[in-house]
Amino acid sequence: MAEIIPALSSAVLARMTAGEKRFALRLKNLLEDDYLCWFDIPVGRERRYPDFIILHPARGLLFLEVKDWKASTLKRLNKQTASLLVNDKPIEVANPLEQARQYMLQVVNLLSRDPQLLQSEDSRYQGKLCFPYAWGTVLTNINRQQITNNTTDAQREAVLPDNLVIYKDEMLESTNAEVFQQRLWGMFNHRFPNKLTVPQIDRIRWHLFPEVRISLQQDMFAMADNADSDELICTEDDDSSPPLNTALPDIVRIMDIQQEKLARSLGAGHRVIHGVAGSGKTLILGYRCELLAATSSKPVLVLCFNITLARKLNALMLAKGLEHRVQALHFHDWCKRQLNTYQVNTVAGPEPVWERQVESVIQGVAQGHIPRAQYGALLIDEGHDFEAEWLTLLVQMIDPESDSLLLLYDDAQSIYQKRSGLGFSLSSVGVKAQGRTTILRRNYRNTREILAFAYQFAERYICAKSSDDDHIPVLAPESAGRSGPVPVVTMGQHWLDEMAHAVAHLQRWKAQCMRWNEMAVLYVTGQQGSTLASYLKRSGIPCVWLASQSFKFGYDPQQDKVAVMAIPSSKGLEFPAVVVMGSGELSCDDEQLVQSARWLYVGMTRAQSELQLTCSKNTPLVAQLQASETSIVDTVEY
């Protein structure tokens, strides 16, 4: 069964013509699993909308235009245009074959700029694309016989060649799959002996659909910081390809097919995504923001709990050029801005000021001093860290006409609450998610070894469990299959030993040509951070210590410095190499044990490829770390 993107949900089917629906179902049911089919998705920055694009590793790339014309209303057809009778009046439209051909030529021009998609130098077709491409049309209400009876072979060859058209009687529900496929691939003039590789397929998608590209964390912040630079100004006439003298990346990063399908298939209303660490929740959030910003008449609001994640989300919006339509903030900063904007005083009391600010906003909304329905859409990352009262408040901020909410959640990463799960139902706070929830189990961030180590450590404390649509399950992650070094737990006698081990790891990674800003050192307590940052600087390692709100708000991953931060500040971030330090200082009391395990799980899953842990105290948690290491490898030489 072919992969149709977006999924054929009721919302997608509602915007299809009757003929497009029938043809989409034929593609889905009559093609095999290795076919990719996109419906009505804009290509490149010119935002042209072919009806269907079909990609197959062996067959190539095919563009199709679908028309529900009837023989009785088709009055004239030439190579460029068709004349249709609509409400007894003739209208001129484009020949669908010429439409599809133009889409194809633009894409071929785009892809031909990528050396990795061209024939090899020793081929007689050097400089040409390394896969076939073609175009055609589908006439869903006209039988082939109706055309052949009224035209000559020469007439059809000139404007509607037999091999480039699929007719109504060739796409019936009873049509044989092999016959149907032969009709598709008869549109090609060539067939190549070699299949497209997975990296080549990803590169094709990378060029066709810029919105599903993944920027590295450092690159994303750089794009955001340079958003006002003249060098980055694009006009509407620009296509999605770089200038010919600009080097394309050797390796492209892009959403996988399931992530893209989910991102494109999210409909209106309230949606919840339960995803494990590294499953691409933030990627989907970014894509969703891009779509909502283009359709919403009111601002779009993105909220999270963590300051550094808010900085990352804000950089993501800037990199996408959405900063004037999408606000990305951490929750307490949003509360503070609401109070300042509507001149509402903070209530007095002994509680910390941020708690009183939240209560003041809740009261301000209830009393009518702060307006409801301010935003066309609301997207919440780190939903597992939000209190019931916060969500009840925020749901009121959504314009009821759009009623667009996306809540992203991973209970295993809930490090600010003692409870397991939300502790309340989603419906009780106004989130209407029944039947509109999605689960992402596959982890793309971490290597197989890091994920196995982290989850084996955490599973006894954070047990995977199922739930219904109104509650949040704890998910067991699945690896995407990338491999790397096994994480190592290094024991020392005291904190000074841990810092020395950390320096040794950082220097080793640097000697392997890794940049300093690709590394992070995570710790448990504030006191550890102070001594650690000083020690690293004395050891000649440039670092930035995210010790306060001002440092977190100003964090710039483009600076070639090691990021030093407490584990909670690392949520939402990722680095190729990570050292997690001071695990022995985490509380192992009955009330705190699960919470401490969650901290370590979050810290470990920040590492994409290399993970090192240092300890200088023997505790139950440290013993479990060592047991997890031993279970992966019999012995590890330090």
Side-chain angles (χ1 to χ4, degrees), residues 361-431:
V361 174
I362 293 173
Q363 292 183 15
V365 171
Q367 295 167 1
H369 302 309
I370 297 176
R372 297 175 171 86
Q374 297 181 34
Y375 302 96
L378 171 65
L379 301 93
I380 300 175
D381 206 349
E382 296 185 313
H384 43 266
D385 289 323
F386 279 62
E387 300 282 357
E389 294 78 10
W390 304 358
L391 291 174
T392 301
L393 164 67
L394 292 171
V395 167
Q396 300 175 69
M397 293 293 112
I398 307 169
D399 187 334
E401 289 190 12
S402 57
D403 199 27
S404 181
L405 169 69
L406 177 61
L407 177 69
L408 305 171
Y409 191 98
D410 176 16
D411 184 67
Q413 296 189 77
S414 178
I415 62 176
Y416 298 104
Q417 311 295 340
K418 293 182 180 180
R419 61 182 183 243
S420 177
L422 285 176
F424 53 87
S425 68
L426 293 174
S427 58
S428 70
V429 296
V431 178

Side-chain angles (χ1 to χ4, degrees), residues 96 129 223 287 401 461 468 554 577 600 604:
L129 287 175
M223 292 171 66
Y287 175 85
E401 289 190 12
Y461 307 107
D468 55 39
L600 285 178
M604 291 186 285

